[in-house]
Each structure stands twice: as C-alpha cells, then as structure tokens.
Amino acid sequence: MFEIRVEADFSAAHFLSDYHGKCENLHGHNYRVFAHARGAVLDDGGMLCDFSVLKKALRSVCGELDHANLNELPVFSNNPSAERIACYIFGELKKLLPEVPLSAVDVFETPSSRARFIPD
C-alpha cells in the first residue's frame, strides 16, 4: 500500500454557535490542511498520484476559504468546526479529482489540534 500527503494552508475567521466558551466569539485561525491519498496501484510513471496535481487542487479549495468568515458559508450551517471543514475540503477535492484515491483530510486549527475526515 502506498500513501502520499500534500499540504496547504489558509487563514479564516469563525465562531461556533452551539459552543459555550470562548470559541463562541468570532476569532481566527491559520489553518493547516493535509490531503492524503492511499492505494495499491501505481501509474506507469510509478506514482500513486502526481503531488503537483493534488497540491494544486488542495490550494484551490483552501483558496476559496482564505480570509473568509466561515460562518457566512451556508455549507457549514453557521457552525464551521474543524470537523466540518475537513469534510467539506474532502468533498471538494473528490469533485475536482474523482480519479485520485483520496483517503483523508486533516485540518489543524493549531499545531496541536487536528480534525480528520475519513470517508466510510
């Protein structure tokens, strides 16, 4: 089995409507995002997926979120948790690259706090 990972980042603001604590106030993060692809079959060039193809798609999706108030995006239902952000990014990547064996997306709000989305 082979696995590759690419990274991108974005900065955005959000608040959590159903959270009782300081995160219910508007605040921002410098998000770090990892996209993972996993599979047993390599292409003729010996690659699972070209890093640059996956990285370009990830940067595109993250670019749509950069410097946004994530609560204003209907997809997050006014609660843009790291978990929902990871799920959203995974779905957008699958739309852009349906042939890539995407296996997970990690979203770090801080260097020590990560949410991961893995499809069923």
Side-chain angles (χ1 to χ4, degrees), residues 39-101:
V41 179
L42 301 179
D43 66 14
D44 292 338
M47 294 183 286
L48 180 65
C49 171
D50 186 331
F51 287 122
S52 64
V53 170
L54 184 53
K55 191 183 302 183
K56 181 179 178 182
L58 181 59
R59 286 180 176 167
S60 174
V61 174
C62 288
E64 295 170 8
L65 303 175
D66 193 40
H67 285 79
N69 178 344
L70 301 178
N71 291 76
E72 295 175 352
L73 302 177
V75 68
F76 297 125
S77 301
N78 209 33
N79 272 313
S81 64
E83 293 85 348
R84 286 181 171 161
I85 296 167
C87 180
Y88 170 77
I89 292 171
F90 186 97
E92 294 301 297
L93 286 174
K94 283 306 286 181
K95 288 179 197 173
L96 291 171
L97 301 172
E99 71 285 357
V100 171

